[in-house]
Amino acid sequence: MKPRKRGGVVDPRLNVYGVEGLKIADMSICPSNVAANTYSTALVIGEKAAVIIAEELGIKNVASNGVSAIGPARL
């Protein structure tokens, strides 16, 4: 995510700058053109959004297995 002063719209927790209680989780949050498969990038954004929202709601162990919709996590 880009900082607000550089034209960014959301912070690292997907909160829209200047708006309380609104998150954005789509391809528009990418700071520049994506030089990869945009489908995979969109899935990762959605998965990260789900984890962030679950954490804020107090739901535990949402991403504990390390598997995503696009395959196992690579460390």
Side-chain angles (χ1 to χ4, degrees), residues 1-2 7-10 14 16 23-34 38 41-42 45:
M1 284 21 83
K2 279 186 186 178
V9 177
V10 296
L14 305 177
V16 177
K23 293 186 181 295
I24 298 292
D26 64 15
M27 291 295 292
S28 69
I29 69 167
C30 297
S32 61
N33 288 338
V34 176
T38 56
T41 305
I45 291 169

Side-chain angles (χ1 to χ4, degrees), residues 14-72:
L14 305 177
N15 298 303
V16 177
Y17 294 124
V19 181
E20 187 176 331
L22 179 63
K23 293 186 181 295
I24 298 292
D26 64 15
M27 291 295 292
S28 69
I29 69 167
C30 297
S32 61
N33 288 338
V34 176
N37 183 329
T38 56
Y39 175 75
S40 298
T41 305
L43 285 178
V44 170
I45 291 169
E47 289 175 354
K48 184 63 178 174
V51 170
I52 289 170
I53 292 166
E55 287 173 354
E56 291 182 4
L57 292 174
I59 301 169
K60 298 179 188 216
N61 300 322
V62 174
S64 62
N65 64 5
V67 178
S68 75
I70 59 172

